[in-house]
mmCIF file of all heavy atoms in Angstrom:
data_model
loop_
_atom_site.group_PDB
_atom_site.id
_atom_site.type_symbol
_atom_site.label_atom_id
_atom_site.label_comp_id
_atom_site.label_asym_id
_atom_site.label_seq_id
_atom_site.Cartn_x
_atom_site.Cartn_y
_atom_site.Cartn_z
ATOM 1 N N ARG V 158 79.234 242.910 126.748
ATOM 2 C CA ARG V 158 80.452 242.805 127.545
ATOM 3 C C ARG V 158 80.940 244.205 127.901
ATOM 4 O O ARG V 158 81.348 244.541 129.008
ATOM 5 C CB ARG V 158 81.551 242.046 126.766
ATOM 6 C CG ARG V 158 82.719 241.626 127.600
ATOM 7 C CD ARG V 158 83.791 241.109 126.684
ATOM 8 N NE ARG V 158 83.308 240.046 125.844
ATOM 9 C CZ ARG V 158 83.218 238.778 126.153
ATOM 10 N NH1 ARG V 158 83.552 238.359 127.281
ATOM 11 N NH2 ARG V 158 82.791 237.879 125.271
ATOM 12 N N PHE V 159 80.926 245.103 126.895
ATOM 13 C CA PHE V 159 81.343 246.487 127.113
ATOM 14 C C PHE V 159 80.308 247.212 128.006
ATOM 15 O O PHE V 159 80.640 247.923 128.959
ATOM 16 C CB PHE V 159 81.502 247.227 125.791
ATOM 17 C CG PHE V 159 82.639 246.752 124.962
ATOM 18 C CD1 PHE V 159 82.516 245.768 124.115
ATOM 19 C CD2 PHE V 159 83.870 247.467 125.088
ATOM 20 C CE1 PHE V 159 83.630 245.284 123.404
ATOM 21 C CE2 PHE V 159 84.945 247.052 124.332
ATOM 22 C CZ PHE V 159 84.807 245.972 123.511
ATOM 23 N N CYS V 160 79.085 246.987 127.668
ATOM 24 C CA CYS V 160 78.064 247.674 128.377
ATOM 25 C C CYS V 160 78.090 247.411 129.882
ATOM 26 O O CYS V 160 78.042 248.286 130.656
ATOM 27 C CB CYS V 160 76.653 247.223 127.809
ATOM 28 S SG CYS V 160 75.294 248.253 128.399
ATOM 29 N N ARG V 161 78.226 246.143 130.272
ATOM 30 C CA ARG V 161 78.226 245.797 131.659
ATOM 31 C C ARG V 161 79.382 246.519 132.412
ATOM 32 O O ARG V 161 79.197 247.118 133.442
ATOM 33 C CB ARG V 161 78.326 244.308 131.855
ATOM 34 C CG ARG V 161 77.008 243.616 131.939
ATOM 35 C CD ARG V 161 77.152 242.271 132.499
ATOM 36 N NE ARG V 161 78.503 241.613 132.208
ATOM 37 C CZ ARG V 161 78.956 240.600 132.849
ATOM 38 N NH1 ARG V 161 78.313 240.118 133.799
ATOM 39 N NH2 ARG V 161 80.147 240.182 132.568
ATOM 40 N N VAL V 162 80.542 246.303 131.875
ATOM 41 C CA VAL V 162 81.798 246.833 132.553
ATOM 42 C C VAL V 162 81.717 248.342 132.627
ATOM 43 O O VAL V 162 82.038 248.949 133.688
ATOM 44 C CB VAL V 162 83.059 246.326 131.858
ATOM 45 C CG1 VAL V 162 84.274 247.020 132.469
ATOM 46 C CG2 VAL V 162 83.162 244.843 131.918
ATOM 47 N N ILE V 163 81.459 249.001 131.513
ATOM 48 C CA ILE V 163 81.458 250.463 131.430
ATOM 49 C C ILE V 163 80.327 251.063 132.347
ATOM 50 O O ILE V 163 80.543 252.062 132.963
ATOM 51 C CB ILE V 163 81.345 250.942 130.027
ATOM 52 C CG1 ILE V 163 82.524 250.381 129.206
ATOM 53 C CG2 ILE V 163 81.396 252.479 129.974
ATOM 54 C CD1 ILE V 163 83.855 250.612 129.789
ATOM 55 N N ARG V 164 79.244 250.321 132.433
ATOM 56 C CA ARG V 164 78.176 250.781 133.252
ATOM 57 C C ARG V 164 78.643 250.839 134.682
ATOM 58 O O ARG V 164 78.449 251.874 135.407
ATOM 59 C CB ARG V 164 76.931 249.899 133.145
ATOM 60 C CG ARG V 164 75.892 250.196 134.216
ATOM 61 C CD ARG V 164 74.663 249.252 134.049
ATOM 62 N NE ARG V 164 73.752 249.429 135.145
ATOM 63 C CZ ARG V 164 73.782 248.713 136.276
ATOM 64 N NH1 ARG V 164 74.789 247.790 136.441
ATOM 65 N NH2 ARG V 164 72.975 248.943 137.214
ATOM 66 N N ALA V 165 79.244 249.762 135.136
ATOM 67 C CA ALA V 165 79.722 249.681 136.507
ATOM 68 C C ALA V 165 80.810 250.797 136.793
ATOM 69 O O ALA V 165 80.717 251.481 137.831
ATOM 70 C CB ALA V 165 80.364 248.340 136.841
ATOM 71 N N GLU V 166 81.575 250.986 135.843
ATOM 72 C CA GLU V 166 82.640 252.028 136.079
ATOM 73 C C GLU V 166 82.030 253.490 136.095
ATOM 74 O O GLU V 166 82.394 254.236 136.843
ATOM 75 C CB GLU V 166 83.748 251.968 134.961
ATOM 76 C CG GLU V 166 84.552 250.690 134.999
ATOM 77 C CD GLU V 166 85.986 250.978 135.083
ATOM 78 O OE1 GLU V 166 86.373 252.093 134.656
ATOM 79 O OE2 GLU V 166 86.730 250.061 135.468
ATOM 80 N N ALA V 167 81.151 253.650 135.174
ATOM 81 C CA ALA V 167 80.475 254.983 135.051
ATOM 82 C C ALA V 167 79.726 255.234 136.415
ATOM 83 O O ALA V 167 79.704 256.365 136.901
ATOM 84 C CB ALA V 167 79.559 255.055 133.880
ATOM 85 N N MET V 168 79.093 254.204 136.925
ATOM 86 C CA MET V 168 78.342 254.360 138.179
ATOM 87 C C MET V 168 79.251 254.792 139.285
ATOM 88 O O MET V 168 78.993 255.733 140.093
ATOM 89 C CB MET V 168 77.699 253.019 138.572
ATOM 90 C CG MET V 168 76.341 252.915 137.944
ATOM 91 S SD MET V 168 75.712 251.271 138.352
ATOM 92 C CE MET V 168 74.776 251.601 139.802
ATOM 93 N N SER V 169 80.499 254.125 139.369
ATOM 94 C CA SER V 169 81.328 254.566 140.453
ATOM 95 C C SER V 169 81.954 255.931 140.238
ATOM 96 O O SER V 169 82.155 256.782 141.137
ATOM 97 C CB SER V 169 82.483 253.494 140.761
ATOM 98 O OG SER V 169 83.364 253.569 139.686
ATOM 99 N N GLN V 170 82.174 256.293 138.936
ATOM 100 C CA GLN V 170 82.654 257.559 138.667
ATOM 101 C C GLN V 170 81.564 258.670 138.962
ATOM 102 O O GLN V 170 81.899 259.726 139.421
ATOM 103 C CB GLN V 170 82.968 257.728 137.180
ATOM 104 C CG GLN V 170 84.177 256.918 136.694
ATOM 105 C CD GLN V 170 85.459 257.561 137.337
ATOM 106 O OE1 GLN V 170 85.541 258.707 137.485
ATOM 107 N NE2 GLN V 170 86.357 256.627 137.691
ATOM 108 N N ALA V 171 80.357 258.356 138.747
ATOM 109 C CA ALA V 171 79.281 259.281 139.017
ATOM 110 C C ALA V 171 79.144 259.688 140.492
ATOM 111 O O ALA V 171 78.638 260.770 140.823
ATOM 112 C CB ALA V 171 77.936 258.693 138.488
ATOM 113 N N ARG V 172 79.747 258.879 141.343
ATOM 114 C CA ARG V 172 79.626 259.139 142.753
ATOM 115 C C ARG V 172 80.836 260.061 143.216
ATOM 116 O O ARG V 172 80.914 260.445 144.340
ATOM 117 C CB ARG V 172 79.717 257.925 143.558
ATOM 118 C CG ARG V 172 78.343 257.248 143.665
ATOM 119 C CD ARG V 172 78.328 256.140 144.735
ATOM 120 N NE ARG V 172 79.131 255.019 144.351
ATOM 121 C CZ ARG V 172 78.679 253.965 143.683
ATOM 122 N NH1 ARG V 172 77.436 253.933 143.315
ATOM 123 N NH2 ARG V 172 79.516 252.940 143.389
ATOM 124 N N MET V 173 81.798 260.255 142.312
ATOM 125 C CA MET V 173 82.936 261.030 142.723
ATOM 126 C C MET V 173 82.615 262.477 142.919
ATOM 127 O O MET V 173 81.730 262.952 142.216
ATOM 128 C CB MET V 173 84.103 260.882 141.609
ATOM 129 C CG MET V 173 84.557 259.461 141.426
ATOM 130 S SD MET V 173 85.047 258.634 142.954
ATOM 131 C CE MET V 173 86.756 258.986 142.986
ATOM 132 N N ASP V 174 83.349 263.126 143.766
ATOM 133 C CA ASP V 174 83.122 264.498 144.051
ATOM 134 C C ASP V 174 83.330 265.468 142.856
ATOM 135 O O ASP V 174 82.747 266.444 142.687
ATOM 136 C CB ASP V 174 83.903 265.049 145.178
ATOM 137 C CG ASP V 174 83.430 264.619 146.564
ATOM 138 O OD1 ASP V 174 82.298 264.117 146.535
ATOM 139 O OD2 ASP V 174 84.143 264.669 147.513
ATOM 140 N N TYR V 175 84.257 265.010 141.874
ATOM 141 C CA TYR V 175 84.477 265.869 140.798
ATOM 142 C C TYR V 175 83.302 265.936 139.809
ATOM 143 O O TYR V 175 83.180 266.910 139.037
ATOM 144 C CB TYR V 175 85.815 265.588 140.042
ATOM 145 C CG TYR V 175 86.045 264.168 139.650
ATOM 146 C CD1 TYR V 175 85.331 263.527 138.633
ATOM 147 C CD2 TYR V 175 87.032 263.450 140.410
ATOM 148 C CE1 TYR V 175 85.704 262.248 138.373
ATOM 149 C CE2 TYR V 175 87.265 262.111 140.025
ATOM 150 C CZ TYR V 175 86.575 261.545 138.963
ATOM 151 O OH TYR V 175 86.887 260.293 138.717
ATOM 152 N N VAL V 176 82.392 265.033 139.950
ATOM 153 C CA VAL V 176 81.178 265.081 139.175
ATOM 154 C C VAL V 176 80.254 266.210 139.694
ATOM 155 O O VAL V 176 79.743 267.059 139.007
ATOM 156 C CB VAL V 176 80.453 263.716 139.169
ATOM 157 C CG1 VAL V 176 79.057 263.844 138.612
ATOM 158 C CG2 VAL V 176 81.200 262.778 138.214
ATOM 159 N N GLU V 177 80.134 266.152 141.121
ATOM 160 C CA GLU V 177 79.372 267.252 141.738
ATOM 161 C C GLU V 177 80.056 268.638 141.470
ATOM 162 O O GLU V 177 79.398 269.639 141.269
ATOM 163 C CB GLU V 177 79.311 267.034 143.228
ATOM 164 C CG GLU V 177 78.222 266.080 143.623
ATOM 165 C CD GLU V 177 77.825 266.130 145.055
ATOM 166 O OE1 GLU V 177 78.625 266.686 145.854
ATOM 167 O OE2 GLU V 177 76.705 265.680 145.360
#
Side-chain angles (χ1 to χ4, degrees):
Chain V
R158 194 189 308 275
F159 289 87
C160 191
R161 269 197 330 164
V162 174
I163 300 309
R164 170 180 173 269
E166 293 235 342
M168 274 173 94
S169 74
Q170 289 295 322
R172 280 194 290 269
M173 301 305 270
D174 283 345
Y175 47 75
V176 165
E177 279 200 339

